[in-house]
Amino acid sequence: MVIKIVEIIGDRATDMRQGDEIYSLIVEQFHKKEKVTIDFAGLKTVLSTFLNNAIGTLYKDYSSEFLNENLKVANLCQDDLFILKRVIKRAKDFYANEKAITKILDEELPE
């Protein structure tokens, strides 16, 4: 299935809520055993806050191998692709050490 982001959220992918919406669509397709292509054609703005929730969060429940086989990205410019690669690296690092990182943050940041 191809998810055309511009048709769902418009031409600016800028916030976490929008990312959550795309994340839900991706997961829904994965549950149906479908492969997904996320099409960024027509977007004027793509921010890391959107990418964190739309794609980075997938690394919490899916392996890199699974995502490499079942999730493709299309029509993302080089600058935004650089941001996406950084989001993916941080997500992999975080979810590989989630408990330890959360513990450190809880100890360091008072409520």
Side-chain angles (χ1 to χ4, degrees):
M1 172 186 200
V2 176
I3 296 174
K4 295 183 179 188
I5 294 176
V6 74
E7 292 178 2
I8 299 166
I9 62 171
D11 64 359
R12 301 189 193 288
T14 58
D15 67 52
M16 296 183 321
R17 181 187 47 77
Q18 293 170 319
D20 290 341
E21 186 174 353
I22 299 302
Y23 169 86
S24 294
L25 292 172
I26 295 168
V27 170
E28 180 181 319
Q29 295 308 307
F30 286 168
H31 286 191
K32 295 177 182 178
K33 307 283 192 239
E34 293 284 332
K35 293 185 178 198
V36 176
T37 298
I38 304 170
D39 188 352
F40 287 85
L43 288 178
K44 293 179 181 176
T45 306
V46 179
L47 296 183
S48 62
T49 51
F50 168 81
L51 293 171
N52 282 327
N53 283 39
I55 298 174
T57 307
L58 292 167
Y59 286 86
K60 180 176 184 176
D61 296 315
Y62 299 97
S63 70
S64 294
E65 294 76 23
F66 177 87
L67 292 172
N68 287 338
E69 291 176 19
N70 293 285
L71 182 66
K72 301 297 177 214
V73 172
N75 300 308
L76 190 61
C77 74
Q78 287 296 77
D79 290 341
D80 293 335
L81 187 58
F82 175 78
I83 295 168
L84 176 59
K85 287 179 180 180
R86 199 169 30 167
V87 162
I88 290 170
K89 181 178 180 344
R90 288 182 181 162
K92 287 179 182 179
D93 291 345
F94 177 77
Y95 291 117
N97 301 295
E98 183 177 12
K99 289 181 184 178
I101 292 171
T102 302
K103 183 177 185 243
I104 291 168
L105 289 175
D106 287 346
E107 291 171 358
E108 297 293 322
L109 300 174
E111 288 185 34

